[in-house]
Amino acid sequence: MKELTVECNNSCGGPQRTPEEERVLIRDIAITSENNSKEGDSFYLITQRWWQHWIDYVNQEQTNVTNDGSSMLENCDAVSSSRRPASIDNSDLIHDANSEESNVGFEIHDTLLEGRDYILLPQEVWNQLYSWYGGGPALARKVISSGLSQTEYAVEVYPLRLRLFVMPKGDQSTIRISKKETIGELHKRACELFDLNLEQVCIWDYYGQRKHALMNDMDRTLDDANLQMDQDILVEVHNNANGTALSRFIRSAQGNGSTVKEASSFLLEPSKSSLSIAGGLSASRGASRGGSTELSQSLNLTSQGRELDNTYGISTVTTRGSSGGLIGLQNLGNTCFMNSAIQCLVHTSEFAKYFREDYHQEINWQNPLGMVGELALAFGELLRRLWAPGRTAIAPRQFKMKLARFAPQFSGYNQHDSQELLAFLLDGLHEDLNRVKHKPYKKSKDADGRPDEEVADEYWANHIARNDSIIVDVCQGQYKSTLVCPECHKISVTFDPFMYLSLPLQSTTTRSMTVTIFTCDGSALPFSCTVTVPKQGRCRDLINALSSACSLKNNEDLKLAEVRNHLFQRFLEDPLISLSMIKDDDHLVAYKIPKSLKKTLLIRLIHRRQEQEMGATQAAQHWKPFGTPLVSLISRDEVITRGDIQTVVNTMLSPLLRSESLRQADTSEPFLSLAASEKRRDSSSGEACSNSMSDSVNKDGNAVTLFKLPLQLVEESNACVDLSVGEDKAIKLSSTSTSVLVYVDWSRELLEKYDTHYLENLPEVFKYGPVNKKARTEPLSLYTCLEAFLREEPLVPEDMWYCPKCKERRQASKKLDLWRLPEVLVIHLKRFSFSRSMKHKLETFVNFPIHDFDLTKYIANKNNTQRQLYELYALTNHYGGMGSGHYTAHIKLLDENRWYNFDDTHISPINEEDVKSAAAYVLFYRRVKTSDAISNGGKSGSGHNNGSSQK
């Protein structure tokens, strides 16, 4: 364990300065640092708690101390103390345990926010404070260039976190590295981590665990390579023969001056802060120096007021006497997704009224989660222009520029998802307009048998104490979330806020899944099996369905695996894995293996064949995986020899032998032949495992000739052992080994002996075909979609729940109920289905109500006495396919009681019956004011007479 603090020496060795002297000196150093900051400079994290104490200490003699100008202090409790602070203590910023062997130094917590948990100090300021107070640890971060022109400066606080997967050995590890480091440095780090030779390694962009690009430009930065946080990287290890070309390439690159920089392991990933954080919401050159600027303000050195840009005046735009709200937006190049979303928000009456009045006083300039008010100002200005008199279309260039700055994913002129933009705008506007300037820490108590109404009100009060804006007033509701542990059946209830509902388009409760079944005893050819399982079922449901479909015997088991790129992606051994985690374009294989209580070893067989690759100078032959990998078991009761592995593999492949290969066996130099009389012994004797692997009989019941197959066994040291020689030699295995990896290298001659097409063209779990006319026209009720959304279903593995009773993380089931509904209910119809290799759009027609959308029976709050009726007033539509479609909006102008179609600049009236279509994507409903009480005599509870977020 590294030392976290050191004793202060300098402050004891010389005269101690007065608080005022310290304040003035730090001020001067901060101003100098601000004027001279450049790329490569170091900034230091210091805990907000200690910094606040020091601020109070040096300002104790000031009569006009104010922290209004300091966003770095806004989320901290004031420390009213005139005592001199103790040594600097940054221990609350770092994890408790930090190994000395760690190559990233001290690891800070992942959820830190500037201004709430820490501030950034220039190196000179840190050095001066450290000389006075000592302590630590020192947490240095570098200034990097950012922005499209690379002329903006920012401080990189968190590194890229990359998951490295080594093939073929299967090892994996996670590293942190600066996004400004080079691919060459990543190569070097990977080789050091896994003890590999640089000449034997090539690295792939493995995003989504699929090979995207070979990362061989050693001087290119990871940022330029577009690597993302928590991305997968494939480290591919070649043997000496296959690594020759790679070795020549690396030596050539190094000879041309390619160098590897020193690792800046301590640099960390972009923060979400609004100050000088790399990748943050305000990473302009001015803001990048904000660390020193805000530092000066926190020292009472400046009291400059904020001046609004002249673009954003505060005079109210009047539309009285004119037909406002019929102004279109120009398409700047695939910006119809943005135009349709903006029109729906602009025509939400609560927002139209709010942004046409003086909303500037509610802008939260200091919110580290916001955009320093710039998004709210840009949206407000655009809304005013759209509600001004006239019909001239507007080009929303300024708004798009702000959008691209704060949300780079929407930069450029590619088509994007309208719903994703809406989610960003609602969240961003909320943070910019959050009335809570100092968010208190709130922790909801356990229910402990209390009534749901009391617990729900407590959760909502805690939420409002930290989140209070026009967006919350209008768009946020609350649902009840019930988790049930699958083991102990412990029930946990929480009440969480929501901004919109994303409803699945599920008209059925089942799904079809296709799985290819292999036998390990050579008794049958592989075959595909399609079964029907519950859509929200688990792996045990799939195993049971397959067992029945393939007539699984009592002495057999099924081992289920996902195959990707001709390799094992994962074995689905947990029966509680949710089937929703298996995508339609995945490839599943089930292996019939014998049941056995004996100790066994799993053999994983990977097929390879030679493929020609064109290098820089000449073509090279490489062994590449192909086909479907196989598995089998072998008993560990006795020593396992190379010949034993040969026998098992020959048995697995025996159904694929061509008949002519059997007739020519006398010229093939077999090393072993089994007689038909040694067919199968009684599997019920308890020796099913060993017997099924020592016998080899083809599907006709005749003796099978076993060939010396070119097998390579990968040892734990990553060395390959040739199993085609020395069949009596024992295989070296550790006592903890549960499986071994074996390659079979298929030569042209060997491919002629076996019919390997059975190993190829593995079918997908579900193959999408053209949607027939009947499927397109069958309506699906919006109520059915809502019920599917509220239905109980298991959590995905990434969201596994910690059961306090079991004291373990469990894949619990989750049930949702609506509890508190907002004034404006936004409903997202999930038309787009994303899988690893493709995207699909569901053309399902959803029959959604325009009037009297009644949600009363879906409210779990039984004290609610009002009918929950809603009326549609706007929606976005998506026409066409993925990436090449077009967005429009249908909007009802309340003052005219008429529907209009907004298609970028073109606006035209439409009939109400034309509002519904299979293109409907995001629906906007407004609460209908009614006093009709539910006739069950229920009482109003806790002052919430309609279950809405009343302010």
Side-chain angles (χ1 to χ4, degrees):
M1 183 71 184
K2 298 180 181 180
E3 288 294 322
L4 299 185
T5 60
V6 297
E7 294 298 327
C8 177
N9 296 320
N10 294 354
S11 61
C12 302
Q16 182 173 300
R17 295 179 182 271
T18 66
E20 177 64 11
E21 289 174 338
E22 288 189 12
R23 185 182 69 86
V24 172
L25 183 56
I26 292 298
R27 176 201 64 185
D28 295 339
I29 296 175
I31 293 175
T32 302
S33 300
E34 174 188 1
N35 295 331
N36 297 295
S37 62
K38 61 184 182 300
E39 185 178 5
D41 285 352
S42 293
F43 275 67
Y44 285 74
L45 278 73
I46 190 169
T47 175
Q48 172 67 36
R49 175 180 46 79
W50 189 93
W51 175 255
Q52 179 68 69
H53 190 173
W54 183 81
I55 288 293
D56 291 340
Y57 168 69
V58 298
N59 284 324
Q60 60 182 294
E61 297 178 1
Q62 302 292 316
T63 58
N64 60 343
V65 176
T66 176
N67 288 333
D68 291 345
S70 175
S71 65
M72 295 177 291
L73 309 179
E74 69 181 34
N75 290 321
C76 296
D77 297 327
V79 181
S80 301
S81 173
S82 61
R83 293 183 295 103
R84 179 180 174 84
S87 298
I88 299 171
D89 182 11
N90 282 335
S91 59
D92 55 347
L93 301 182
I94 62 176
H95 289 292
D96 293 336
N98 287 275
S99 171
E100 292 186 3
E101 289 76 27
S102 172
N103 63 348
V104 296
F106 291 100
E107 187 90 40
I108 66 174
H109 294 291
D110 289 335
T111 57
L112 301 180
L113 287 177
E114 185 183 12
R116 184 193 71 182
D117 304 305
Y118 69 89
I119 66 166
L120 289 167
L121 301 178
Q123 181 173 359
E124 296 78 7
V125 174
W126 164 265
N127 290 342
Q128 188 59 66
L129 289 174
Y130 182 81
S131 70
W132 291 336
Y133 294 92
L139 304 173
R141 302 293 181 262
K142 293 289 186 181
V143 174
I144 63 172
S145 58
S146 63
L148 294 177
S149 62
Q150 295 293 302
T151 59
E152 301 171 355
Y153 294 148
V155 178
E156 194 178 29
V157 174
Y158 289 95
L160 284 175
R161 182 167 49 220
L162 304 177
R163 291 190 293 262
L164 306 185
F165 293 83
V166 180
M167 291 297 177
K169 189 175 180 181
D171 290 345
Q172 56 181 283
S173 184
T174 300
I175 68 168
R176 288 187 179 270
I177 186 171
S178 169
K179 66 180 182 180
K180 290 300 180 180
E181 286 294 351
T182 62
I183 292 175
E185 176 61 23
L186 179 59
H187 274 254
K188 178 182 176 183
R189 293 277 300 279
C191 290
E192 292 175 350
L193 183 62
F194 297 106
D195 195 23
L196 302 170
N197 293 325
L198 196 61
E199 293 80 7
Q200 292 181 306
V201 171
C202 64
I203 289 183
W204 291 84
D205 180 345
Y206 204 44
Y207 181 80
Q209 297 202 336
R210 296 182 65 88
K211 284 185 178 180
H212 286 272
L214 179 63
M215 301 173 64
N216 54 12
D217 186 349
M218 299 300 173
D219 290 327
R220 193 180 188 190
T221 68
L222 304 183
D223 193 20
D224 292 336
N226 197 30
L227 295 189
Q228 306 297 318
M229 181 63 64
D230 291 326
Q231 182 170 328
D232 296 337
I233 299 295
L234 177 63
V235 181
E236 200 170 44
V237 182
H238 298 267
N239 58 34
N240 291 332
N242 294 340
T244 304
L246 180 64
S247 175
R248 287 197 299 268
F249 167 80
I250 293 176
R251 284 197 297 268
S252 174
Q254 292 174 341
N256 292 332
S258 174
T259 59
V260 178
K261 300 179 181 179
E262 292 184 4
S264 299
S265 307
F266 55 86
L267 296 185
L268 307 175
E269 80 179 359
S271 156
K272 293 183 180 179
S273 168
S274 64
L275 297 178
S276 53
I277 306 303
L281 302 177
S282 184
S284 66
R285 185 177 179 88
S288 71
R289 293 179 177 178
S292 301
T293 303
E294 301 291 348
L295 173 63
S296 302
Q297 293 175 353
S298 68
L299 293 173
N300 266 343
L301 305 178
T302 62
S303 58
Q304 298 175 352
R306 288 187 177 266
E307 297 181 1
L308 297 178
D309 192 305
N310 292 333
T311 306
Y312 305 107
I314 62 174
S315 60
T316 302
V317 177
T318 177
T319 59
R320 183 172 299 177
S322 62
S323 180
L326 291 176
I327 298 178
L329 290 168
Q330 294 180 15
N331 193 319
L332 306 178
N334 285 324
T335 57
C336 56
F337 77 97
M338 181 181 75
N339 293 347
S340 61
I342 289 175
Q343 292 288 11
C344 289
L345 292 180
V346 162
H347 287 85
T348 300
S349 57
E350 292 85 352
F351 296 156
K353 178 182 178 181
Y354 178 85
F355 283 99
R356 285 187 288 172
E357 295 176 351
D358 186 7
Y359 65 93
H360 299 82
Q361 60 186 352
E362 290 201 338
I363 292 179
N364 192 331
W365 305 105
Q366 310 299 334
N367 188 353
L369 298 178
M371 294 126 205
V372 291
E374 294 189 37
L375 184 64
L377 289 170
F379 179 79
E381 173 65 15
L382 183 58
L383 181 145
R384 292 176 182 225
R385 295 176 64 190
L386 288 173
W387 276 102
R391 291 290 187 92
T392 304
I394 295 171
R397 290 190 179 89
Q398 292 298 322
F399 180 82
K400 188 179 186 305
M401 288 175 59
K402 294 292 184 183
L403 181 67
R405 176 183 176 189
F406 296 124
Q409 65 268 30
F410 299 117
S411 61
Y413 296 95
N414 294 324
Q415 184 68 276
H416 295 283
D417 191 327
S418 178
Q419 186 272 333
E420 291 180 2
L421 174 67
L422 274 170
F424 170 80
L425 286 179
L426 289 173
D427 186 63
L429 290 172
H430 159 65
E431 295 296 353
D432 265 5
L433 298 169
N434 196 347
R435 304 177 185 112
V436 180
K437 301 301 189 290
H438 303 275
K439 291 188 177 183
Y441 174 74
K442 293 288 185 179
K443 183 178 182 180
S444 299
K445 302 176 183 177
D446 293 334
D448 291 333
R450 293 183 293 161
D452 281 350
E453 291 75 14
E454 178 183 342
V455 179
D457 287 344
E458 179 182 285
Y459 270 85
W460 187 253
N462 290 345
H463 175 66
I464 293 298
R466 293 174 55 85
N467 302 276
D468 184 13
S469 70
I470 181 64
I471 306 299
V472 175
D473 297 343
V474 175
C475 294
Q476 284 199 357
Q478 185 183 34
Y479 58 72
K480 175 185 176 182
S481 175
T482 305
L483 290 171
V484 181
C485 178
E487 298 295 331
C488 69
H489 305 292
K490 162 77 175 175
I491 298 177
S492 174
V493 176
T494 59
F495 294 84
D496 303 309
F498 67 85
M499 190 87 76
Y500 52 86
L501 301 179
S502 289
L503 305 187
L505 303 188
Q506 296 179 349
S507 58
T508 63
T509 59
T510 61
R511 66 183 291 197
S512 294
M513 301 185 73
T514 299
V515 181
T516 303
I517 298 179
F518 287 81
T519 61
C520 72
D521 60 2
S523 60
L525 287 167
F527 61 95
S528 295
C529 185
T530 300
V531 296
T532 300
V533 294
K535 184 170 288 186
Q536 303 301 326
R538 299 177 184 266
C539 267
R540 61 189 175 198
D541 300 312
L542 178 58
I543 292 292
N544 291 337
L546 290 172
S547 300
S548 300
C550 71
S551 302
L552 194 71
K553 300 177 182 178
N554 291 331
N555 62 343
E556 292 178 322
D557 273 331
L558 280 182
K559 192 174 187 67
L560 194 63
E562 178 188 344
V563 173
R564 192 182 304 170
N565 297 328
H566 314 294
L567 301 172
F568 290 111
Q569 175 64 23
R570 57 173 173 164
F571 287 100
L572 302 170
E573 297 177 313
D574 185 353
L576 297 180
I577 292 178
S578 172
L579 293 182
S580 62
M581 297 304 298
I582 301 175
K583 307 303 181 185
D584 285 338
D585 65 339
D586 286 343
H587 301 270
L588 294 188
V589 181
Y591 303 95
K592 283 187 178 182
I593 58 175
K595 285 183 179 179
S596 176
L597 300 178
K598 296 182 179 181
K599 190 175 182 181
T600 58
L601 184 74
L602 180 71
I603 297 177
R604 295 174 290 138
L605 183 69
I606 306 295
H607 309 278
R608 298 193 303 186
R609 63 185 174 193
Q610 282 194 323
E611 293 184 6
Q612 185 169 296
E613 289 187 355
M614 298 302 296
T617 57
Q618 60 183 8
Q621 295 284 338
H622 294 281
W623 289 105
K624 295 289 186 179
F626 85 101
T628 305
L630 304 177
V631 300
S632 188
L633 295 177
I634 188 170
S635 174
R636 293 200 60 177
D637 290 341
E638 298 179 357
V639 174
I640 301 175
T641 65
R642 298 180 183 181
D644 293 333
I645 303 292
Q646 284 277 355
T647 301
V648 171
V649 174
N650 269 278
T651 301
M652 284 192 285
L653 298 178
S654 60
L656 309 182
L657 268 173
R658 301 180 189 272
S659 56
E660 55 267 24
S661 298
L662 295 174
R663 291 192 296 268
Q664 299 172 2
D666 55 338
T667 63
S668 301
E669 298 183 2
F671 80 93
L672 179 63
S673 180
L674 298 177
S677 59
E678 297 181 11
K679 192 172 181 179
R680 273 193 189 78
R681 304 181 190 93
D682 186 5
S683 298
S684 62
S685 65
E687 298 184 6
C689 178
S690 59
N691 292 338
S692 64
M693 295 166 211
S694 62
D695 300 331
S696 183
V697 181
N698 69 359
K699 53 183 176 284
D700 298 323
N702 299 320
V704 173
T705 299
L706 305 186
F707 299 99
K708 286 186 178 180
L709 297 172
L711 304 180
Q712 300 281 334
L713 183 143
V714 181
E715 293 185 324
E716 294 183 357
S717 63
N718 212 33
C720 290
V721 176
D722 187 357
L723 301 182
S724 62
V725 295
E727 57 265 21
D728 294 329
K729 289 187 177 181
I731 301 297
K732 295 180 181 178
L733 296 170
S734 67
S735 59
T736 59
S737 296
T738 58
S739 68
V740 292
L741 175 63
V742 176
Y743 289 115
V744 53
D745 293 333
W746 292 85
S747 62
R748 289 184 179 180
E749 294 77 9
L750 191 61
L751 286 170
E752 293 175 356
K753 300 180 186 298
Y754 290 84
D755 188 357
T756 58
H757 87 273
Y758 291 102
L759 299 174
E760 303 186 68
N761 302 318
L762 195 63
E764 296 177 347
V765 168
F766 181 80
K767 182 67 175 179
Y768 277 85
V771 181
N772 57 44
K773 185 176 181 180
K774 180 180 178 182
R776 288 178 182 270
T777 57
E778 284 183 348
L780 177 63
S781 168
L782 184 61
Y783 292 103
T784 303
C785 298
L786 178 60
E787 290 164 2
F789 171 75
L790 299 175
R791 187 182 300 126
E792 181 177 349
E793 63 179 24
L795 294 174
V796 298
E798 291 80 3
D799 295 332
M800 290 182 68
W801 170 65
Y802 179 80
C803 177
K805 186 174 180 181
C806 297
K807 300 188 182 304
E808 290 186 14
R809 297 182 67 84
R810 301 290 189 190
Q811 192 176 14
S813 59
K814 184 177 183 179
K815 174 73 169 64
L816 297 179
D817 293 286
L818 298 179
W819 187 267
R820 186 188 312 266
L821 292 178
E823 292 301 309
V824 170
L825 179 62
V826 182
I827 295 180
H828 165 224
L829 303 178
K830 298 175 67 174
R831 293 198 175 276
F832 300 120
S833 173
F834 298 89
S835 58
R836 292 184 178 91
S837 62
M838 61 179 62
K839 302 175 183 178
H840 313 283
K841 183 187 176 186
L842 301 176
E843 299 286 355
T844 308
F845 176 81
V846 179
N847 186 15
F848 52 90
I850 297 178
H851 305 284
D852 298 330
F853 182 33
D854 193 351
L855 298 176
T856 305
K857 73 174 185 179
Y858 300 101
I859 302 298
N861 183 2
K862 299 309 177 184
N863 283 346
N864 166 50
T865 60
Q866 296 289 332
R867 293 185 66 191
Q868 304 296 305
L869 293 179
Y870 284 81
E871 182 176 283
L872 186 75
Y873 71 92
L875 69 153
T876 64
N877 304 291
H878 182 270
Y879 301 93
M882 296 294 300
S884 59
H886 181 63
Y887 285 95
T888 67
H890 292 338
I891 296 172
K892 183 179 183 179
L893 293 189
L894 298 182
D895 56 347
E896 298 184 18
N897 195 30
R898 189 173 187 180
W899 283 91
Y900 285 86
N901 177 52
F902 286 72
D903 187 353
D904 292 331
T905 59
H906 181 70
I907 301 175
S908 59
I910 57 173
N911 297 323
E912 185 170 275
E913 55 266 26
D914 296 328
V915 169
K916 295 184 181 182
S917 75
Y921 187 39
V922 181
L923 311 175
F924 290 75
Y925 281 94
R926 176 183 290 107
R927 182 191 297 278
V928 176
K929 306 298 181 182
T930 177
S931 58
D932 296 335
I934 299 176
S935 58
N936 60 8
K939 296 182 179 180
S940 173
S942 305
H944 300 286
N945 61 355
N946 60 5
S948 65
S949 54
Q950 299 297 318
K951 300 296 292 178

